[in-house]
Amino acid sequence: MTTKKQIKLGAFLMQTGHHIAGWRHPDAQEDAGVNFRHYVQLARKAEAAKFDAVFLADGVAVRSDNLQALARTARSDQFEPLTLLSALAAVTDRIGLIATASTSYHEPYNLARKFASLDQISGGRAGWNLVTSATNAEALNFNRSAQFAHADRYRRAAEFHDVVTGLWDSWEDDAFVRDKSSGTYLDADKLHPLNHKGTHFQVRGPLNVARSPQGRPVVVQAGASEDGRELAARTAEVIFVAHQTFAEAQSFYADIKERVQHHGRHPDDVKIMPGIFPIVGRTQEEAEAKFEQLQSLIDPAVGVSLLAGLSGGVDLSSYPVDGPLPELPPTEGPQSRQRLLIDLARRDGLTIRQLYLKIAGARGHQQVVGTPKSIADQLQQWFEEGGADGFNIMGPWFPGGLDDFIELVLPELRRRGLFRTEYEGRTLREHLGLARPQHPAALARARARSEQAVPA
């Protein structure tokens, strides 16, 4: 068993694949969003390859009003992620199961209960990707005419997180005795109602789900704005982020690890896992040919619509597609992603067409087109030189994009001692090297006993 620090890997599963035209690839599963067998196949492949987790993004709306673009993309029909992961928990054994759920359009009690249930069903493999919803399309489905303001979303999210984690600590680990001979089902002294009254929520508790084998589901966070970074530094155990350059990755990594310490946490308590979009070929020419095949399938209307979604809903359809990206007004949408698009377009002098071609696969994440060796070289550099603790692998199309990474890149990483050959434990926390959180009440009792044992 190696003691060398190793890369953490998530398999980011997005319907037919992450490339905007991936559904048109000849080998793609075109009905993937609502094909359960497809997800079973992918999850089992990722588990056999010893990935730390599968990761599902989510949104609670059909996010485009551009019917021309909507008719030519495969992003409109998808399973609700917690329902899907609960089913996948029954057909997998070790791999972590991370789902996105928004603090904007859930109530803390319901969300805490669902993730606690998934954690129990899976034997301690659940993770919650905490996000704030950033589109008006979602707001219109929840009794609102517009989304919450950016700062308000994050204030709500911070309190939401505290309520959820408080509910997950409703019961101590050994609260449920279930002793038939004595007739004692639970130890009431180990019940801890929350009794929360805050700005956004009033929740009494307790949660009606026991503590899981990993104590609590792992909390994942994906914001990179100033508000997002601060929330992540205080609450997140895994951060999923998009970077275009190694310098950006290093800067973000150093910033977050420093912020984490300001919140009284150890830097290793947070794993930073940028998204990576790999096109793998046995030769560079083969990889580039695979990429160009996908690029040739992009409809211009779809490309422009993609930019609009990532830029916070700014309508770009009236601008010439071969002209420069116009000045984008501030929005209440995903601010870090809008900033990334602007910086990319200005830095490289890209037209609107060139910009959507640039991000059509990775949507702002790092795109790598190359051989197993060159891709492993980049992952190793980011990992060893302070840019990442691991990566979320974004297959260009499914199942082939994931197959290529597993069959071609993983052996190269293993040859270098950078990725496991077997799981070290059974829970998601054990895979990620995260400590199991002690229950606050049990921790307080242990501290009291320790203080009493110290001679005066």
Side-chain angles (χ1 to χ4, degrees):
M1 181 176 178
T2 183
T3 58
K4 181 180 179 179
K5 188 179 178 184
Q6 294 186 321
I7 290 172
K8 306 302 178 185
L9 290 179
F12 187 170
L13 307 182
M14 178 174 278
Q15 295 116 300
T16 54
H18 285 270
H19 194 281
I20 196 67
W23 73 276
R24 299 181 65 191
H25 189 282
D27 298 327
Q29 182 69 44
E30 63 273 7
D31 66 344
V34 289
N35 186 321
F36 178 60
R37 290 184 179 85
H38 168 76
Y39 282 103
V40 171
Q41 178 190 42
L42 294 181
R44 285 176 167 168
K45 285 182 178 183
E47 183 171 65
K50 315 305 178 189
F51 274 66
D52 293 79
V54 294
F55 178 97
L56 298 177
D58 191 44
V60 286
V62 174
R63 294 184 178 181
S64 176
D65 292 328
N66 183 331
L67 296 183
Q68 181 185 4
L70 188 65
R72 302 183 71 80
T73 57
R75 295 284 193 266
S76 309
D77 54 344
Q78 63 187 81
F79 291 125
E80 189 284 316
L82 275 165
T83 305
L84 174 57
L85 289 186
S86 294
L88 292 179
V91 295
T92 58
D93 185 53
R94 304 289 277 277
I95 196 164
L97 306 166
I98 301 173
T100 298
S102 172
T103 60
S104 300
Y105 303 119
H106 283 91
E107 286 294 318
Y109 192 95
N110 286 342
L111 187 143
R113 188 183 187 212
K114 289 175 182 178
F115 275 98
S117 297
L118 176 61
D119 216 26
Q120 287 283 4
I121 290 168
S122 65
R125 295 186 281 139
W128 168 35
N129 181 36
L130 184 164
V131 301
T132 70
S133 292
T135 68
N136 287 334
E138 292 168 291
L140 293 171
N141 290 333
F142 293 90
N143 299 310
R144 295 184 60 85
S145 58
Q147 62 193 296
F148 294 97
H150 188 273
D152 292 342
R153 292 204 307 269
Y154 277 94
R155 283 191 287 266
R156 176 186 168 96
E159 185 179 341
F160 195 111
H161 166 272
D162 293 345
V163 174
V164 167
T165 53
L167 288 169
W168 285 338
D169 286 335
S170 292
W171 306 93
E172 295 184 41
D173 293 312
D174 55 352
F176 288 89
V177 180
R178 302 187 183 97
D179 186 343
K180 291 182 179 181
S181 61
S182 68
T184 302
Y185 191 79
L186 62 87
D187 183 346
D189 290 336
K190 296 185 177 181
L191 163 63
H192 302 277
L194 184 61
N195 293 317
H196 174 87
K197 291 184 179 181
T199 303
H200 301 278
F201 305 107
Q202 181 172 315
V203 182
R204 188 190 70 172
L207 193 67
N208 57 350
V209 182
R211 235 172 172 242
S212 85
Q214 67 172 348
R216 299 176 192 156
V218 173
V219 176
V220 183
Q221 217 271 328
S225 65
E226 178 61 28
D227 289 333
R229 291 183 189 216
E230 195 56 28
L231 178 65
R234 185 174 75 84
T235 67
E237 296 167 291
V238 176
I239 299 177
F240 177 45
V241 66
H243 296 309
Q244 281 291 303
T245 68
F246 178 48
E248 291 172 4
Q250 281 184 311
S251 175
F252 180 87
Y253 189 95
D255 178 54
I256 290 294
K257 298 290 185 173
E258 182 178 350
R259 290 181 192 236
V260 163
Q261 294 177 81
H262 290 164
H263 286 281
R265 307 171 67 197
H266 191 280
D268 289 341
D269 291 344
V270 179
K271 307 299 180 184
I272 297 175
M273 298 177 65
I276 295 289
F277 174 89
I279 302 276
V280 193
R282 288 173 174 80
T283 65
Q284 185 66 32
E285 293 73 22
E286 180 185 325
E288 291 173 1
K290 287 182 178 181
F291 183 55
E292 288 307 316
Q293 179 186 21
L294 288 169
Q295 294 290 83
S296 70
L297 299 174
I298 301 172
D299 186 290
V302 173
V304 172
S305 178
L306 174 65
L307 290 182
L310 293 176
S311 65
V314 179
D315 184 5
L316 298 171
S317 60
S318 63
Y319 294 92
V321 73
D322 290 312
L325 183 73
E327 292 298 323
L328 300 181
T331 75
E332 295 296 344
Q335 294 183 3
S336 61
R337 197 55 58 89
Q338 186 194 67
R339 184 74 258 162
L340 185 149
L341 289 180
I342 294 171
D343 290 347
L344 181 59
R346 301 289 181 259
R347 185 185 70 223
D348 296 345
L350 303 178
T351 65
I352 289 175
R353 186 193 304 274
Q354 289 168 333
L355 183 59
Y356 76 61
L357 286 171
K358 185 84 170 179
I359 59 117
R363 300 186 314 284
H365 296 273
Q366 177 67 199
Q367 182 170 281
V368 286
V369 180
T371 64
K373 180 182 183 303
S374 68
I375 292 173
D377 285 345
Q378 178 167 324
L379 300 186
Q380 182 171 8
Q381 180 191 17
W382 284 40
F383 175 64
E384 293 184 343
E385 297 181 21
D389 296 306
F391 304 91
N392 240 356
I393 305 303
M394 304 166 62
W397 75 96
F398 289 127
L402 181 63
D403 291 341
D404 285 349
F405 187 86
I406 290 172
E407 294 169 11
L408 299 174
V409 180
L410 282 191
E412 182 66 22
L413 292 176
R414 288 186 171 123
R415 186 183 66 77
R416 304 179 190 197
L418 291 171
F419 190 66
R420 67 167 66 88
T421 56
E422 292 295 338
Y423 286 115
E424 300 84 2
R426 302 201 68 87
T427 71
L428 179 55
R429 290 186 178 279
E430 289 172 328
H431 300 341
L432 294 170
L434 296 170
R436 186 183 191 277
Q438 291 184 265
H439 192 282
L443 188 60
R445 287 197 300 270
R447 284 174 177 163
R449 288 194 297 270
S450 177
E451 289 170 359
Q452 291 172 358
V454 175

